[in-house]
Amino acid sequence: MKIIKKISEIKEIISNFKKNKKEINLIPTMGSIHAGHLSLLSEANKYDGINIISIFVNPAQFNDLNDFNNYPNTLEADIKILSKTKCKMIFAPSIKEIYPLGIKTEKAVFKYRDILCDLFRLGHFDGVTTIVKILLDLIEPSKIFFGEKDFQQLKIIEQLIFQNNLKINLIRCPSIRDSYGMSLSSRYSTFSKDEKSKFKKCAQIIDANLLEVKKDFNHKILDNIKKELRSYGISKIDYIEVRNEEDLSLSINNERTRLFIAFYLNKVRVIDNFLLY
Ligand code: AMP
């Protein structure tokens, strides 16, 4: 497996691929590879082309420096995991390689903004679209793989591709979940034993209420989830909302909707969404 750290090297490799008319499948990640990431790779394996996984903990998308400093950085372990897969290439640049002139972001996408995570993580999505556009320009993939776990991100990237008229197929990949029904996340790798058991309890609260929401959606149930989570010591809940999955508008029924949640378990931000139909 090839590990590329330099922009000059990836440019040369991509230019050779292009000359040989090889298609590229790009799977952008921030590392700390888990089964969720691997499912994106499995999805990519279904298509022709060379799979490139990028691993880059993008400082531009962290609105909180502590969060960036606490984010797991496990490149060696990631390489070990990926070397056992069909992944042939990892692009793992340094911050200096990506942002040689310093970190600068731009608000490129205005759609799907001012709601959900955008209200609570100011500048986060500008950081996301900035890094994704850098990667798309560098790697020129024909397919790019994103997880539905980060649903708002996925919609914003779809819009980025659309706005820029790029001939890139964004492949949506369903969430890979733990045995309690929560989507796996790199952030949860830092949970202590106590936090793990709290997380399990939160998952049970969500799961029990999810059945109710699916049966007969009403706002009382959402309030109930908040109340139950709070009674279990979750003090910071960013949102618990039901939204349409096409335009992300608030919804009062279960048609093509998802339950979107974001809350903090101590320092760790939990985000997830659940199909309601
Ligand atoms: P991250 O490394 O957290 O930035 O995630 C990289 C990509 O993997 C994003 O497209 C995520 O949505 C996706 N991803 C993360 N966790 C999961 C999961 N549990 N199931 C499916 N995709 C995931």
Side-chain angles (χ1 to χ4, degrees):
M1 191 173 58
K2 215 168 166 48
I3 296 139
I4 302 138
K5 296 202 169 177
K6 295 278 173 214
I7 298 273
S8 53
E9 198 185 347
I10 191 91
K11 275 187 173 165
E12 202 183 312
I13 290 171
I14 299 298
S15 134
N16 280 331
F17 286 160
K18 295 280 155 189
K19 265 185 223 150
N20 294 314
K21 302 221 173 324
K22 291 229 187 315
E23 301 223 340
I24 300 162
N25 304 318
L26 175 63
I27 301 146
T29 81
M30 295 209 297
S32 193
I33 298 295
H34 54 65
H37 299 119
L38 295 179
S39 75
L40 271 55
L41 181 62
S42 302
E43 189 58 33
N45 283 333
K46 294 180 187 164
Y47 299 89
D48 283 343
I50 290 148
N51 298 334
I52 302 183
I53 291 201
S54 64
I55 297 183
F56 180 64
V57 184
N58 175 31
Q61 71 187 70
F62 286 82
N63 50 317
D64 172 357
L65 186 64
N66 276 333
D67 189 23
F68 174 65
N69 290 333
N70 289 331
Y71 199 88
N73 221 316
T74 57
L75 185 60
E76 290 312 310
D78 291 346
I79 292 171
K80 241 187 191 166
I81 295 172
L82 291 170
S83 64
K84 293 182 190 132
T85 69
K86 283 189 196 158
C87 177
K88 292 277 176 292
M89 210 166 280
I90 299 176
F91 178 49
S94 65
I95 295 174
K96 258 234 125 76
E97 279 290 304
I98 292 291
Y99 300 113
L101 304 174
I103 298 163
K104 216 173 140 215
T105 62
E106 188 194 325
K107 187 163 183 169
V109 173
F110 288 77
K111 207 171 169 184
Y112 310 120
R113 302 292 298 264
D114 302 320
I115 54 169
L116 299 171
C117 290
D118 198 33
L119 291 178
F120 299 92
R121 301 191 67 193
L122 296 181
H124 165 67
F125 288 117
D126 298 334
V128 170
T129 50
T130 299
I131 184 63
V132 171
K133 187 67 172 54
I134 291 172
L135 292 172
L136 295 182
D137 289 345
L138 258 180
I139 297 177
E140 298 180 50
S142 51
K143 293 188 185 60
I144 184 161
F145 298 77
F146 277 92
E148 289 182 343
K149 172 188 168 271
D150 303 287
F151 204 83
Q152 189 177 13
Q153 165 174 281
L154 184 152
K155 296 292 292 181
I156 287 174
I157 300 302
E158 272 179 357
Q159 181 64 18
L160 180 77
I161 291 171
F162 174 74
Q163 278 177 204
N164 285 282
N165 224 343
L166 302 172
K167 286 190 179 47
I168 299 172
N169 197 353
L170 187 154
I171 312 285
R172 293 178 175 202
C173 304
S175 279
I176 302 300
R177 298 177 182 275
D178 62 19
S179 53
Y180 326 123
M182 299 295 282
S183 296
L184 303 177
S185 166
S186 305
R187 289 175 181 279
Y188 309 157
S189 64
T190 62
F191 278 156
S192 65
K193 209 172 154 203
D194 180 50
E195 286 171 332
K196 266 186 203 153
S197 79
K198 261 196 170 169
F199 184 63
K200 183 177 168 188
K201 183 67 199 163
C202 294
Q204 284 165 343
I205 290 170
I206 294 163
D207 192 47
N209 282 284
L210 203 55
L211 285 176
E212 293 298 309
V213 185
K214 279 182 181 167
K215 243 193 283 165
D216 177 23
F217 171 74
N218 67 64
H219 282 283
K220 265 198 192 141
I221 305 171
L222 303 188
D223 291 341
N224 200 38
I225 303 176
K226 285 183 193 162
K227 218 164 90 191
E228 286 188 40
L229 287 176
R230 285 203 181 103
S231 76
Y232 208 75
I234 301 298
S235 54
K236 191 164 161 23
I237 299 174
D238 283 353
Y239 55 79
I240 297 185
E241 293 176 346
V242 170
R243 288 185 177 263
N244 179 285
E245 63 174 12
E246 289 310 315
D247 59 10
L248 296 189
S249 61
L250 281 169
S251 183
I252 50 160
N253 61 46
N254 290 352
E255 261 171 52
R256 298 204 63 80
T257 54
R258 287 170 186 254
L259 174 71
F260 291 85
I261 62 163
F263 62 87
Y264 281 82
L265 201 165
N266 296 339
K267 280 188 189 154
V268 177
R269 192 165 188 268
V270 174
I271 77 161
D272 214 331
N273 65 85
F274 306 86
L275 269 183
L276 294 180
Y277 60 93

